[in-house]
C-alpha cells in the first residue's frame, strides 16, 4: 500500500509538472506567433493570439495545431474605393484558424480553413460615399452626409440636397441593402430612390446613394463572406482556406 501511495503521489506531481510545462510552452508560442504576425502584417499593435486545445506539446509533436484564435484591433486594410482612400480601418478583426500545420523549423504556418468576423464603423464607410456635392440635375446637387443603422439589417443613408444653390432644410434619407460582392467588396444599394423634390434620372440619383467599398488584402488571404448593418457600423463575417498564418 505504501508503494502504491508513493507511485500515485509521483504520478500526480509529474502530471502537474507536465501541465505547467505545457502552459508555459503555449504561452511562449503565443507570444512568438503574435510578434511574427505583427511583423508580417505591418501592424501598429501586437495582436492577441490564443492557441486552443490541450495538451499543446502533443500537437506540436504532431506538426499541427487544432485551432488558433487571432484578434486584431484597428487593422488598416487596403481599399480600392472610389474615394481614392488607400486604407480603411477595421475596428475589430477576429479569426479562428482550424488545422494549423507548420514546417519543421516553425518559420511558417498555414491553416486549412478560417472563419471570423470584422466590424467597420459608419464613419469609415462614409469615406467612400459621395461626400462631395455632385450635380445630379440642372441646378441640383446632392451628397451623402451620414450613414446609420436603419434596422432589419439595412443602412440608413442621409443625402443632403441643394436646389439652385439653396440647401434643402433637412437631409433626405433612404434605406439601403448591404451585401458582399466578389469576396472583397461591400456594396450599398438603395432599396428605393429618395424623394429629392425634383424629377431626376434614376442613374443620376443612384450615382449618389449607391456605392461600393473594397476591403482587400486581409491577413493570410481571408475574404469577406457576409455583411449586415449594426448599431455602430457594419458587421462582416470572413472566411478562408489555406490561410497563411505566418511565413
Amino acid at each position: 500500500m505504501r508503494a502504491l501511495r508513493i507511485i500515485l503521489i509521483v504520478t500526480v506531481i509529474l502530471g502537474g509538472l507536465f501541465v505547467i510545462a505545457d502552459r508555459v510552452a503555449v504561452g511562449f508560442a503565443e507570444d512568438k506567433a503574435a510578434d511574427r504576425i505583427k511583423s508580417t502584417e505591418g501592424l501598429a499593435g501586437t495582436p492577441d493570439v490564443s492557441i486552443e486545445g490541450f495538451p499543446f506539446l502533443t500537437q506540436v509533436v504532431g506538426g499541427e495545431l487544432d485551432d488558433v484564435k487571432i484578434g486584431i484591433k484597428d487593422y488598416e486594410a487596403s481599399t480600392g474605393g472610389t474615394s481614392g482612400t488607400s486604407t480603411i480601418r477595421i475596428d475589430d478583426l477576429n479569426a479562428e484558424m482550424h488545422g494549423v500545420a507548420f514546417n519543421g523549423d516553425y518559420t511558417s504556418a498555414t491553416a486549412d480553413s478560417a472563419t471570423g468576423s470584422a466590424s467597420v464603423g459608419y464613419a469609415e464607410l462614409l469615406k467612400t460615399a459621395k461626400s462631395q456635392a455632385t450635380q445630379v440635375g440642372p441646378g441640383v446637387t446632392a451628397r451623402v452626409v451620414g450613414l446609420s443603422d436603419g434596422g432589419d439589417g439595412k443602412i440608413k443613408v442621409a443625402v443632403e440636397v441643394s436646389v439652385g444653390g439653396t440647401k434643402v432644410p433637412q437631409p433626405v434619407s433612404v434605406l439601403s441593402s448591404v451585401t458582399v460582392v466578389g469576396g472583397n467588396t461591400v456594396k450599398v444599394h438603395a432599396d428605393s430612390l429618395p424623394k429629392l423634390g425634383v424629377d431626376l434620372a434614376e442613374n443620376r440619383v443612384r450615382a449618389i446613394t449607391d456605392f461600393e467599398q473594397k476591403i482587400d488584402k486581409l491577413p493570410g488571404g481571408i475574404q469577406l463572406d457576409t455583411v449586415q448593418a449594426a448599431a455602430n457600423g457594419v458587421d462582416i463575417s470572413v472566411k478562408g482556406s489555406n490561410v497563411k498564418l505566418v511565413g
Side-chain angles (χ1 to χ4, degrees):
M1 288 296 293
R2 185 169 181 274
L4 179 59
R5 188 180 300 113
I6 293 173
I7 292 173
L8 289 174
I9 292 172
V10 171
T11 301
V12 169
I13 292 173
L14 291 177
L17 291 175
F18 175 78
V19 170
I20 292 172
D22 191 82
R23 294 301 88 191
V24 169
V26 75
F28 177 80
E30 289 170 344
D31 290 343
K32 287 296 182 182
D35 289 340
R36 288 293 302 278
I37 294 171
K38 178 182 178 180
S39 175
T40 301
E41 299 297 333
L43 304 178
T46 304
D48 294 325
V49 175
S50 176
I51 299 174
E52 305 296 298
F54 179 83
F56 164 70
L57 293 174
T58 57
Q59 295 181 64
V60 172
V61 172
E64 183 174 305
L65 305 178
D66 295 336
D67 296 290
V68 178
K69 293 181 178 179
I70 301 172
I72 302 174
K73 297 284 188 182
D74 298 330
Y75 180 78
E76 296 288 337
S78 173
T79 170
T82 56
S83 67
T85 303
S86 59
T87 62
I88 185 170
R89 189 182 73 251
I90 298 177
D91 295 329
D92 292 286
L93 177 60
N94 297 285
E96 183 169 349
M97 310 292 183
H98 312 286
V100 180
F102 46 87
N103 62 1
D105 58 1
Y106 309 110
T107 57
S108 68
T110 302
D112 181 61
S113 63
T115 56
S117 63
S119 60
V120 178
Y122 286 123
E124 283 294 303
L125 196 59
L126 183 63
K127 290 179 180 179
T128 198
K130 288 292 181 66
S131 56
Q132 298 297 320
T134 303
Q135 186 169 344
V136 293
V140 181
T141 61
R143 68 188 185 104
V144 176
V145 293
L147 302 175
S148 58
D149 183 14
D152 295 326
K154 305 286 186 179
I155 290 180
K156 183 179 180 180
V157 180
V159 180
E160 181 184 87
V161 182
S162 295
V163 180
T166 302
K167 187 186 301 181
V168 175
Q170 295 294 330
V172 179
S173 63
V174 60
L175 290 179
S176 299
S177 297
V178 56
T179 55
V180 169
V181 179
N184 66 350
T185 302
V186 174
K187 180 178 181 179
V188 178
H189 181 81
D191 292 350
S192 60
L193 296 182
K195 298 184 183 302
L196 302 182
V198 290
D199 291 329
L200 299 170
E202 179 176 347
N203 64 329
R204 288 291 191 93
V205 179
R206 288 199 177 277
I208 302 298
T209 61
D210 297 6
F211 57 93
E212 296 182 355
Q213 173 63 70
K214 185 175 286 187
I215 301 176
D216 216 352
K217 296 182 180 178
L218 295 179
I222 292 174
Q223 291 192 315
L224 311 184
D225 187 21
T226 63
V227 61
Q228 185 171 350
N232 300 311
V234 292
D235 290 339
I236 304 169
S237 65
V238 298
K239 66 178 182 179
S241 56
N242 294 321
V243 177
K244 200 161 190 179
L245 188 57
V246 293

